[in-house]
Amino acid sequence: MSTKTEKLSKVIALTNQKGGVSKTTTSINLAFGLSLRGYDVLLVDGDPQASALDWATVRDEAGIELDLTVIGVPKTNLAKEVAKLKANYDFVIIDGAGRQSELTRLAIVACDIAIVPNTTSPLDAWATKATLESINEIQSYRDFSSYFLLSGVKTKTKIFTEVKDWLAVTYPLPILDSVIELRTAYSRCLGEGLTIFEYKDDHGKKDKKAIDEVNALIDEILSRENIIKIEEAV
């Protein structure tokens, strides 16, 4: 846990009105990865489907300790609740709603950093337009960062390059260099109430490539946002 008295109070929203783009998977592993580094982290489930809360329940019932806080606020008071709570944490990670335009918008209203996960499906890329319209609207009166994250993808495919290039020329959001690949380990670990940092396959091996992906994502966010790492601040 962080020993600093003054918290960073950075709010990161994983947001996209299109479902099935790894918002919950990325939110959980991002939150856990930050907590491993000593940050105080709050994970907010802002989706009525409550997948992050379900994960936390599975973990709790299995008696697995969790060094971060998970709450559910899939309601119209999402932005107000986050504003009240963020002073107590270094990072608040919002797992945004899918197919819920108002809840998606509220997650963006609450955030300092909006991350828009996207697969390499052209249909998903087209469906991202509504989320980007909300980001553009809110950025017209409030300053915050926003990025694309390619997630649940296979990088060694032609479609990956095609969709990535299309996003780059079609929308103004920068694309993060970090990529979350499509890996069985991500879905299996969540089903067991674990994160990618803890999960082991049937042979007792961790997925080092997946762990490296999440750590690279954390490093890139900290770097792009000029956030001093805990070990650099002490």
Side-chain angles (χ1 to χ4, degrees):
M1 299 290 285
S2 173
T3 58
K4 303 185 302 299
T5 55
E6 185 177 345
K7 303 301 181 185
L8 292 170
S9 302
K10 293 290 186 181
V11 180
I12 303 175
L14 279 292
T15 179
N16 193 333
Q17 286 176 228
K18 179 68 178 70
V21 292
S22 301
K23 286 192 298 290
T24 300
T25 298
T26 305
S27 297
I28 289 172
N29 284 295
L30 175 60
F32 194 88
L34 285 165
S35 73
L36 285 178
R37 298 190 183 203
Y39 295 105
D40 291 318
V41 182
L42 172 66
L43 175 59
V44 176
D45 192 333
D47 191 338
Q49 292 186 6
S51 298
L53 279 177
D54 288 343
W55 167 82
T57 298
V58 170
R59 188 180 181 96
D60 183 62
E61 291 176 347
I64 307 170
E65 186 178 344
L66 182 60
D67 195 21
L68 61 91
T69 304
V70 185
I71 64 171
V73 193
K75 304 173 184 177
T76 54
N77 65 336
L78 173 63
K80 290 181 180 179
E81 283 299 305
V82 169
K84 287 192 299 184
L85 293 168
K86 67 179 185 178
N88 299 317
Y89 297 91
D90 293 311
F91 288 97
V92 177
I93 310 299
I94 304 176
D95 179 20
R99 304 183 183 89
Q100 296 280 340
S101 59
E102 183 56 24
L103 290 178
T104 299
R105 187 179 182 281
L106 288 170
I108 299 169
V109 167
C111 80
D112 300 298
I113 305 163
I115 296 179
V116 184
N118 222 303
T119 69
T120 46
S121 163
L123 295 177
D124 287 350
W126 297 334
T128 302
K129 183 178 180 181
T131 302
L132 298 186
E133 288 175 349
S134 293
I135 289 175
N136 290 336
E137 177 219 336
I138 296 164
Q139 282 182 329
S140 70
Y141 61 83
R142 190 174 69 78
D143 185 37
F144 62 93
S145 304
S146 53
Y147 306 97
F148 274 124
L149 170 68
L150 291 170
S151 57
V153 300
K154 294 183 178 180
T155 55
K156 295 179 181 179
T157 60
K158 184 178 179 181
I159 192 67
F160 172 81
T161 302
E162 290 176 347
V163 172
K164 183 178 180 180
D165 290 346
W166 184 85
L167 289 172
V169 299
T170 305
Y171 298 123
L173 263 66
I175 302 173
L176 292 171
D177 296 325
S178 308
V179 174
I180 303 298
E181 291 255 13
L182 180 64
R183 300 182 190 278
T184 303
Y186 283 120
S187 56
R188 291 190 67 181
C189 73
L190 297 190
E192 297 176 16
L194 300 173
T195 67
I196 203 63
F197 295 95
E198 306 158 294
Y199 172 77
K200 294 180 180 179
D201 66 16
D202 295 337
H203 302 287
K205 293 183 178 180
K206 290 189 174 185
D207 192 325
K208 187 177 183 304
K209 290 183 178 179
I211 293 171
D212 288 346
E213 286 172 359
V214 178
N215 277 325
L217 174 60
I218 293 171
D219 287 337
E220 184 172 4
I221 292 170
L222 297 179
S223 176
R224 283 182 180 257
E225 295 298 312
N226 297 313
I227 298 171
I228 298 175
K229 298 178 183 179
I230 284 180
E231 60 269 23
E232 295 173 346
V234 295

